[in-house]
Amino acid sequence: MSQVTEDDQLTRLQEALDGAATGGIAVSVVAGVCLVGAFASFLLSMPFTVPFLLGFVGVTAYGWFAHQAETARTLMFVATVSTVTVLGLITFYVFLEAAPAFANMGVVELLTRLEQPLWNTETHVYSLVPLMWGTFVTTVLATLVAAPFGVAGALFISEIAPRTVREIIKPAVEVLAGIPSIVYGFIGFTVLNPYMTEKFLLAGQGSLFLAGIVIGFMALPTTVSVAEDAIASVPESMKSGSLALGSTDWQTMKSVTLPTALSGVSAGILLGVGRAIGETMAATVILGTVVELPDPLYDVFGNTITLTSAIAAQYGSAFGLHMNTLFAAGVVLFVTVMGLSIAAQYVEARMQRKLGGDV
Amino acid sequence: MSEHQTETETEPDRERAAEATEPDAAPSTATATTESASRPEPSTERTTVAGETDETTRPEWVQYDFDGESKLSVHDLDVYYGDEHALKGVSMEIPEESVTALIGPSGCGKSTYLRCLNRMNDRIKAARIDGSVELDGQNVYDDNANLVELRKRVGMVFQSPNPFPKSIRDNISYGPRKHGDINTGLLSRLVGRSDKEAEEKLVERSLRDAALWDEVSGRLDDNALGLSGGQQQRLCIARCLATDPEVILMDEPASALDPIATSKIEDLITDLAEEYTVVVVTHNMQQAARISDQTAVFLTGGELVEYDDTEKIFENPESQRVEDYISGKFG
Amino acid sequence: MSNRNATRSELVESDTSTYEVIAAATAAVGVLTSTLSFLTLAEIVPFEGGLGGIAMPTVFGAILSLLGVVTIGIGVVSAVGVVETTPDRDAGLVTAGAFGLLWAVVAGLVVSQSLGFGVVVWLPATLAVGVAVLFGAVFPKEDLGSTLPGGALALFAGAVFLTGTVGTGWSWSPPDLQASFTAPVVVPVVGIVGSLVTAWGAAKAHGAFGRRGRQRAAYMAIWLLAALVLTVLLYLLAFVTMKGAGRAFAGIGFGPGLSFNWPFLTNGVSLMEQSPGIWPAVVGTVWLVVGAVMMAVPLGIGAAVFLTEYAEQGRFTQVVEVATNGLWSTPSIVFGLFGYAFLVPRFGNTKSLFAGMLVLSFMLLPLVLITSRESLKSVPDEYRDASAALGVSRWETVRSVVLPAAMPGVVTGVILGVGRIAGETAPLLLVTAGEIFPAKQNAPAVLRSFQVDVVMGPPFLDVSNPALFEASSALPYQLYAIITAGLSSSNIENSLEFAWATAFVLLLVVLSFYAIGIATRTYFRRKISHE
Ligand SMILES: Nc1ncnc2c1ncn2[C@@H]1O[C@H](COP(=O)(O)OP(=O)(O)OP(=O)(O)O)[C@@H](O)[C@H]1O
Ligand SMILES: [Mg+2]
């Protein structure tokens, strides 16, 4: 009796091993092992990364011809996992490098210290307050430019402009979204900074005011096109409904179109704000990048530094705790932008639910 | 209801329809006999894909004489969507304070016609409109026409419900607010001239008229998109009534309603006709017969074939095609 | 049930009246004045010289006074009932608030700065004026409420300029700001504000006030804002082209024989170089983009296919979604920090081209994933069902039906993403960037430096490419490098010109990618909507 079952099992196993599915699984397992090996070797700075990778390539190449469906599936799964891994690695390493800085000053002290010295690389006393203030002020200024102009631009393109005008402007704005930030920075540095110095009789080069305005204009095309997509997706039947009740086009825009598209429009603005916070090059090049608070705090014509430009301007000469502190600036940046991104997704999901009634 | 089951017909047979309206297909042909008893010979009668017979329309079929003023008069209205000729030379006088029913098979241009009356077709980029529509003797297609004023006077209930993503209350008071008749903004509340009470009254009256009050009176602040399809349709009717137009255009207002709500809406339409001019599109023959004073029949190809007293249309139509359509032979 | 007390206006309006013409003209003059102000601010119209021999403050003073008087007149004529208009009961809280704020600022500045009173006086004065204007704008009908405060403001500004209180040489240094406000800035800015508030009131009057008037005014404002945005952005492009194209294209042509010469692109910088160029940066950018695309595109598309076609909607897909959005919004400099902490130490502690490729591919990954997912989702389910109904396996369906249908969207996403990473500077600073002005022979020679060695101990096989593991330049970095070098180099004659030319080439490269990407997308969208 037991003999029979054993035989049975054996034959079944034999069959299964011959079967394509199991072959595919075997390939997947071997490929997976190779990849994990390569990854581990790379993490630990060992010399086996390349051979493991070659092994992976070899196995998958075999798998592609022998068991394409399974291999493809595995590869795609690997791709998916790698996305999460990358974010995990970024989070881990940036926090890891920032840890000594937080340990050095204490988290609260590093984030709130106001008394001098604010930034001393000899005695390693640091405060991120000027950096955060700089980022905050430039972001507020940039939002003041990007939000109203962005919404106006989006309304213009999707509702007000004649058809022919729209068909030229819409792609043009999307192309303009691509202007690299260093170009804005360069123009700010060579043209606008001297202009500001001359017109406002500024003592030195650069001001938060200019950086904020430039970043605002930089974020504008993105804001416009995201908001425009949202406005254009408001169903025509809803607008017709409003017009048929005898309201004007402007009333329809204000009371039906914009509120309905609110989630998308605010997503556009948040995207713009996110870009402003994370913007490095324009701020680095335009600002004087001195680690001081402007005096008085609201002096937008003063000079300071932002989280991003501190990293870009000082990484070259930094080592040890100084470098760790720059990583801490990176952490603050990362956490803020992440929070904003999650908030934006949450807002959008909520609006979507609201729009869909109780669905 | 046979006409609902037979609604499977597809493309309007444009070629034939166009042929049928050709002027030199002369009224002298035998098919133009008016009496339904003297049917034309089957040999001269062709049948379209939709099951329609082929005949030539006569101008006198759409001549409708009535007492009293005409509210809307339409002359030689042609509508094109791109190359498609969706409405062909429609002329029609719509009497004041009455119910006019528009019937006809799907795709024959009833909605298109209705949208011409308050110029909602202007919203469709591909649409081109020739001809004139006069409201109280003033051409609404005049270059200086005030579209906002026109739509205020000529209200519309759309074929598919389109409530705003706002509360039920705000949906109803939307029109009057935009016209400046109701003001409940922060400023008017501050200076004590808020029309809150007037608003409440208006909301209740409109919802009662539309037979929706009992169902929603407890949740006026809920989002209107959370209502069922039929409730949304009644909400849209209520929303239109609240703006107090002179003419009300209704595109199948009862298509998503149960028999009870339908009969309430029918009663409402009958009541409305005391003060308003109502034009209503319907696929339901009995409904048209019950509620309307006069009926216009559009047939495939976008032509108005016959327009007369509802009784005359349903009991003794001039056109063979109309008779076929009404008796459920096609459409 | 009827409430026929509703406001009624004419169905068919009469032709344009004189009142409308005057209102339209006022609005037009307002718009033109604000344009003139912008041109003055941008120094396209010189401030110092004045206009036709008349000093700029006088010019603006005259125009603003005129605008102010006419606007007030327009409002009064309507309020008195000389012309028939349809004003609302009030101008609205927002309008009143804005006017109140404007006037409060004016009052505060005048009382504190011109009259020199302390805070005890100027604060109450400011508040009083603000509140007074607010009430003044709220209580009368809309026609007065929306023209009077604006007209008076323009009139006041005009008087200040005409009387010479603010003249050409005027300047004001607020004690607590570093900046001083000089006449060349203040006069045009006041000009913009004054002309726009009057133009706005006049536009309302043109629509006979009421909701039609509001629409006219709002449309005017939106047209102006849109025009301003577009002008600024296009001017920026034109400016870079003007400054940089000459140098960038200098010496271009067919050289000896059939060879093609483009010195600025094909030369490096060195002592011997006659016409220095940016060859190493161009090569660096090309390799960075190629490397990033080779890594990110398969990963992104693979993950997108897995998520849409295989994975069950659940915890796992949610995590991936959050991670993707997180990666997408992570600031580029943080990617740089990551590369600095993670990649650089593992590549022999030097910045390298390969680290740059990896970091840029991480930045590209979420974009490719998101756009691919979107276009995969938009492939109708009928395709999949039809294919499945024919007994085709899931993978076959994906490969032969779903992917081809989604390809246009994916390609567009990739092209736009490439545009984005090609212009990215910040992460390169930390992981790739090398010399400031590299010579031609220092351009990365990736193709030529592949080496495969068999070694005795583990790992037995050694594939290496030294060029990949050396620092490199890149177009955006080159531009930054010139700026940090103080716009000067001993090997380049006119560094500023060199910098503009670099900026021009960078713009050309990046915007070409964007233009191609958007054109492709438009093309495919049209095709789909026509089918
Ligand atoms: N927006 C549009 N663009 C192009 N063609 C249109 C448009 N709207 C309607 N049509 C065409 O015009 C013709 C008439 O359409 P209409 O909607 O008026 O029909 P209908 O009589 O209301 O039909 P139903 O009873 O199904 O509502 C149809 O052939 C339709 O294809
Ligand atoms: Mg219809």
Side-chain angles (χ1 to χ4, degrees):
Chain A
M1 185 82 175
S2 67
Q3 185 66 39
V4 177
T5 5
E6 232 169 54
D7 272 357
D8 230 27
Q9 277 176 345
L10 263 177
T11 31
R12 269 201 215 134
L13 195 68
Q14 200 64 45
E15 276 167 12
L17 272 177
D18 292 341
T22 324
I25 291 172
V27 166
S28 303
V29 169
V30 177
V33 168
C34 282
L35 201 62
V36 170
F39 183 64
S41 150
F42 187 67
L43 264 188
L44 304 172
S45 308
M46 292 199 299
F48 308 112
T49 313
V50 174
F52 267 127
L53 271 183
L54 286 179
F56 173 75
V57 171
V59 171
T60 45
Y62 161 74
W64 190 259
F65 290 106
H67 315 280
Q68 200 178 56
E70 288 79 11
T71 312
R73 196 192 149 111
T74 311
L75 283 179
M76 290 188 290
F77 179 70
V78 166
T80 314
V81 171
S82 68
T83 312
V84 184
T85 315
V86 167
L87 186 69
L89 281 177
I90 291 180
T91 319
F92 179 74
Y93 273 90
V94 174
F95 273 83
L96 184 74
E97 291 290 320
F102 284 112
N104 170 42
M105 292 301 296
V107 176
V108 177
E109 179 74 356
L110 186 62
L111 296 179
T112 56
R113 181 187 171 88
L114 283 173
E115 59 275 11
Q116 296 290 344
L118 289 172
W119 194 269
N120 190 324
T121 53
E122 308 280 296
T123 57
H124 291 302
V125 176
Y126 300 103
S127 162
L128 293 182
V129 172
L131 286 64
M132 298 194 299
W133 181 253
T135 295
F136 175 75
V137 174
T138 42
T139 304
V140 167
L141 285 170
T143 312
L144 285 181
V145 173
F149 280 76
V151 175
L155 268 183
F156 178 76
I157 293 178
S158 64
E159 301 286 313
I160 294 177
R163 219 168 122 82
T164 41
V165 176
R166 167 174 47 225
E167 258 155 37
I168 300 167
I169 290 189
K170 192 171 152 52
V173 167
E174 284 171 330
V175 171
L176 289 173
I179 301 177
S181 62
I182 186 69
V183 172
Y184 282 96
F186 178 64
I187 293 175
F189 181 78
T190 50
V191 181
L192 300 177
N193 260 346
Y195 175 89
M196 292 292 288
T197 310
E198 183 202 324
K199 292 281 158 109
F200 290 88
L201 311 177
L202 293 180
Q205 284 271 321
S207 63
L208 282 170
F209 180 76
L210 182 62
I213 303 288
V214 169
I215 295 174
F217 264 93
M218 203 169 88
L220 244 182
T222 317
T223 311
V224 170
S225 45
V226 176
E228 200 273 334
D229 285 343
I231 291 176
S233 69
V234 174
E236 167 63 28
S237 71
M238 240 176 232
K239 300 182 208 163
S240 302
S242 166
L243 290 171
L245 289 171
S247 62
T248 62
D249 288 315
W250 175 237
Q251 284 175 326
T252 302
M253 270 176 240
K254 258 194 342 185
S255 311
V256 174
T257 313
L258 267 185
T260 309
L262 192 64
S263 59
V265 173
S266 32
I269 293 174
L270 278 181
L271 218 71
V273 172
R275 192 160 177 201
I277 294 178
E279 170 43 40
T280 311
M281 297 324 293
T284 310
V285 174
I286 293 175
L287 284 176
T289 60
V290 288
V291 192
E292 280 164 12
L293 281 170
D295 179 38
L297 263 189
Y298 56 82
D299 181 5
V300 291
F301 294 97
N303 230 325
T304 183
I305 200 165
T306 63
L307 290 164
T308 51
S309 56
I311 301 171
Q314 302 197 352
Y315 78 94
S317 57
F319 52 89
L321 270 177
H322 185 188
M323 194 66 209
N324 296 129
T325 311
L326 295 184
F327 271 92
V331 165
V332 174
L333 205 61
F334 185 61
V335 170
T336 314
V337 172
M338 271 303 184
L340 218 65
S341 150
I342 291 172
Q345 286 174 53
Y346 179 73
V347 166
E348 193 152 359
R350 252 188 67 139
M351 298 267 180
Q352 221 70 51
R353 272 205 303 279
K354 199 176 138 202
L355 236 178
D358 55 358
V359 184
Chain B
M1 289 302 305
S2 57
E3 55 277 12
H4 283 282
Q5 274 121 44
T6 51
E7 212 179 286
T8 46
E9 61 96 27
T10 51
E11 273 290 288
D13 193 342
R14 277 176 221 123
E15 201 183 307
R16 299 241 175 106
E19 218 172 89
T21 47
E22 265 177 61
D24 49 356
S28 58
T29 37
T31 47
T33 342
T34 50
E35 283 299 293
S36 57
S38 62
R39 289 248 171 122
E41 292 299 308
S43 55
T44 60
E45 184 181 270
R46 284 178 299 167
T47 309
T48 63
V49 183
E52 287 182 44
T53 46
D54 202 20
E55 67 178 355
T56 312
T57 50
R58 289 225 187 148
E60 58 265 29
W61 293 352
V62 300
Q63 204 72 51
Y64 172 50
D65 300 316
F66 52 86
D67 309 325
E69 296 288 301
S70 90
K71 185 75 183 172
L72 282 161
S73 43
V74 178
H75 293 293
D76 275 333
L77 192 69
D78 283 279
V79 179
Y80 305 83
Y81 291 116
D83 296 331
E84 188 186 336
H85 198 167
L87 269 189
K88 297 188 187 123
V90 174
S91 297
M92 194 167 156
E93 300 280 329
I94 296 174
E96 204 172 42
E97 293 175 2
S98 66
V99 179
T100 307
L102 307 181
I103 58 175
S106 185
C108 67
K110 303 179 298 292
S111 300
T112 301
Y113 178 70
L114 214 58
R115 279 201 305 266
C116 287
L117 301 183
N118 65 348
R119 287 190 66 172
M120 284 310 285
N121 271 338
D122 289 22
R123 296 283 296 170
I124 299 170
K125 283 175 202 104
R128 189 161 61 78
I129 296 125
D130 283 339
S132 77
V133 175
E134 282 175 10
L135 174 67
D136 291 331
Q138 283 176 301
N139 186 3
V140 306
Y141 280 96
D142 192 290
D143 285 340
N144 283 335
N146 180 346
L147 288 193
V148 175
E149 183 62 26
L150 168 69
R151 290 168 187 162
K152 211 172 115 183
R153 294 195 201 173
V154 183
M156 179 167 204
V157 177
F158 290 78
Q159 185 160 10
S160 45
N162 53 352
F164 305 129
K166 299 172 182 293
S167 72
I168 295 173
R169 185 197 318 275
D170 287 350
N171 263 280
I172 305 288
S173 57
Y174 182 86
R177 263 177 218 253
K178 297 299 143 192
H179 302 160
D181 298 335
I182 279 188
N183 219 326
T184 55
L186 179 61
L187 182 59
S188 48
R189 263 180 282 154
L190 285 181
V191 300
R193 52 183 184 211
S194 163
D195 304 319
K196 197 71 198 153
E197 261 176 43
E199 184 193 10
E200 288 304 311
K201 274 193 198 141
L202 179 75
V203 168
E204 179 172 348
R205 196 185 63 207
S206 311
L207 284 173
R208 277 193 195 282
D209 286 341
L212 188 59
W213 175 252
D214 296 335
E215 286 157 69
V216 301
S217 60
R219 47 175 178 142
L220 291 179
D221 290 315
D222 286 8
N223 192 326
L225 291 180
L227 297 174
S228 76
Q231 288 172 329
Q232 290 188 2
Q233 200 162 28
R234 277 174 285 159
L235 181 74
C236 291
I237 295 174
R239 187 174 73 180
C240 175
L241 295 180
T243 61
D244 192 37
E246 297 167 16
V247 180
I248 300 178
L249 311 174
M250 294 183 163
D251 203 342
E252 298 185 45
S255 63
L257 303 185
D258 62 60
I260 297 176
T262 303
S263 83
K264 281 186 186 163
I265 294 297
E266 286 178 5
D267 290 345
L268 168 70
I269 292 175
T270 320
D271 287 347
L272 286 173
E274 314 248 307
E275 266 183 80
Y276 302 87
T277 308
V278 182
V279 183
V280 52
V281 171
T282 177
H283 275 169
N284 181 331
M285 305 289 170
Q286 273 90 347
Q287 190 175 61
R290 273 195 302 269
I291 60 175
S292 69
D293 302 307
Q294 55 275 336
T295 299
V297 187
F298 288 77
L299 288 183
T300 312
E303 33 172 358
L304 172 62
V305 178
E306 196 162 347
Y307 176 43
D308 214 323
D309 257 337
T310 300
E311 263 174 46
K312 169 91 164 71
I313 294 282
F314 279 94
E315 276 161 22
N316 189 17
E318 306 280 344
S319 157
Q320 180 58 39
R321 286 193 294 161
V322 169
E323 168 149 8
D324 289 350
Y325 175 67
I326 285 168
S327 57
K329 283 205 183 148
F330 69 91
Chain C
M1 70 193 291
S2 153
N3 61 331
R4 289 266 160 81
N5 57 352
T7 41
R8 282 180 67 120
S9 42
E10 283 303 305
L11 185 59
V12 177
E13 285 142 0
S14 46
D15 285 329
T16 331
S17 66
T18 327
Y19 183 72
E20 277 177 332
V21 173
I22 293 175
T26 314
V29 171
V31 170
L32 286 179
T33 312
S34 69
T35 312
L36 175 69
S37 311
F38 274 113
L39 293 180
T40 314
L41 261 187
E43 292 183 327
I44 295 169
V45 173
F47 183 83
E48 266 68 34
L51 210 61
I54 309 166
M56 239 11 177
T58 319
V59 173
F60 277 105
I63 302 178
L64 286 181
S65 311
L66 181 75
L67 279 174
V69 169
V70 176
T71 306
I72 292 173
I74 287 174
V76 170
V77 165
S78 158
V80 179
V82 177
V83 289
E84 197 155 317
T85 52
T86 51
D88 283 355
R89 273 192 295 203
D90 53 62
L93 212 54
V94 178
T95 309
F99 278 133
L101 205 67
L102 269 179
W103 270 105
V105 169
V106 172
L109 287 177
V110 168
V111 175
S112 68
Q113 304 299 324
S114 308
L115 307 179
F117 286 107
V119 77
V120 199
V121 178
W122 72 252
L123 194 63
T126 305
L127 285 178
V129 170
V131 171
V133 172
L134 190 129
F135 277 103
V138 160
F139 277 108
K141 278 198 157 194
E142 188 203 4
D143 45 7
L144 277 188
S146 47
T147 53
L148 226 47
L153 192 74
L155 200 57
F156 178 74
V160 167
F161 291 159
L162 279 181
T163 54
T165 317
V166 170
T168 313
W170 182 88
S171 94
W172 170 56
S173 315
D176 44 4
L177 295 188
Q178 291 200 11
S180 304
F181 295 94
T182 57
V185 174
V186 171
V187 172
V189 168
V190 171
I192 292 172
V193 175
S195 57
L196 287 187
V197 290
T198 46
W200 180 81
K204 268 190 156 188
H206 182 240
F209 300 99
R211 54 214 190 104
R212 228 153 50 99
R214 282 206 301 277
Q215 166 156 328
R216 291 273 155 85
Y219 273 32
M220 185 195 75
I222 291 178
W223 267 97
L224 282 179
L225 284 180
L228 178 66
V229 170
L230 222 64
T231 317
V232 168
L233 292 176
L234 291 180
Y235 184 65
L236 189 152
L237 290 193
F239 194 74
V240 174
T241 310
M242 224 165 57
K243 290 265 191 181
R247 174 67 178 264
F249 290 131
I252 196 168
F254 289 93
L258 278 175
S259 67
F260 178 68
N261 269 327
W262 189 344
F264 190 70
L265 281 200
T266 53
N267 288 348
V269 177
S270 71
L271 209 58
M272 316 274 52
E273 196 61 72
Q274 286 299 307
S275 53
I278 51 171
W279 172 249
V282 173
V283 177
T285 288
V286 168
W287 279 117
L288 283 170
V289 167
V290 168
V293 165
M294 272 170 32
M295 286 181 267
V297 170
L299 280 184
I301 296 180
V305 173
F306 186 82
L307 288 173
T308 24
E309 306 294 324
Y310 289 92
E312 298 282 319
Q313 292 299 314
R315 192 48 64 77
F316 179 67
T317 47
Q318 241 172 14
V319 168
V320 178
E321 210 139 284
V322 170
T324 318
N325 283 328
L327 266 187
W328 168 233
S329 52
T330 301
S332 57
I333 190 91
V334 174
F335 280 97
L337 281 178
F338 164 67
Y340 184 86
F342 180 68
L343 297 175
V344 171
R346 284 172 177 74
F347 296 146
N349 258 327
T350 59
K351 298 184 190 175
S352 62
L353 193 61
F354 192 58
M357 291 174 177
L358 276 175
V359 167
L360 290 185
S361 78
F362 295 156
M363 293 184 63
L364 185 58
L365 180 59
L367 188 76
V368 175
L369 208 167
I370 290 171
T371 44
S372 308
R373 256 200 102 171
E374 254 159 37
S375 56
L376 282 171
K377 274 187 195 159
S378 67
V379 174
D381 269 340
E382 288 89 73
Y383 286 22
R384 299 185 179 90
D385 296 348
S387 179
L390 293 173
V392 179
S393 78
R394 181 182 289 199
W395 163 244
E396 279 298 321
T397 309
V398 168
R399 205 181 60 164
S400 48
V401 179
V402 178
L403 270 182
M407 226 42 211
V410 175
V411 170
T412 314
V414 171
I415 298 174
L416 290 178
V418 166
R420 185 173 126 106
I421 58 167
E424 197 55 71
T425 323
L428 298 185
L429 292 184
L430 287 126
V431 300
T432 301
E435 283 173 90
I436 291 180
F437 293 108
K440 180 160 187 172
Q441 66 270 20
N442 289 356
V446 174
L447 286 184
R448 262 183 283 124
S449 5
F450 267 110
Q451 299 168 0
V452 180
D453 301 313
V454 180
V455 285
M456 283 335 277
F460 303 110
L461 200 59
D462 191 19
V463 185
S464 66
N465 187 335
L468 274 180
F469 294 96
E470 281 165 11
S472 162
S473 186
L475 274 175
Y477 172 72
Q478 178 72 70
L479 188 54
Y480 175 71
I482 306 173
I483 299 173
T484 48
L487 294 173
S488 67
S489 158
S490 49
N491 292 340
I492 300 175
E493 251 172 55
N494 188 343
S495 296
L496 188 60
E497 226 179 60
F498 187 83
W500 280 110
T502 310
F504 172 72
V505 172
L506 175 62
L507 261 188
L508 206 64
V509 170
V510 172
L511 295 194
S512 307
F513 274 115
Y514 270 79
I516 295 171
I518 284 156
T520 331
R521 193 179 61 192
T522 317
Y523 173 76
F524 281 116
R525 276 196 188 153
R526 287 249 168 88
K527 226 173 99 176
I528 286 171
S529 68
H530 279 236
E531 264 164 16

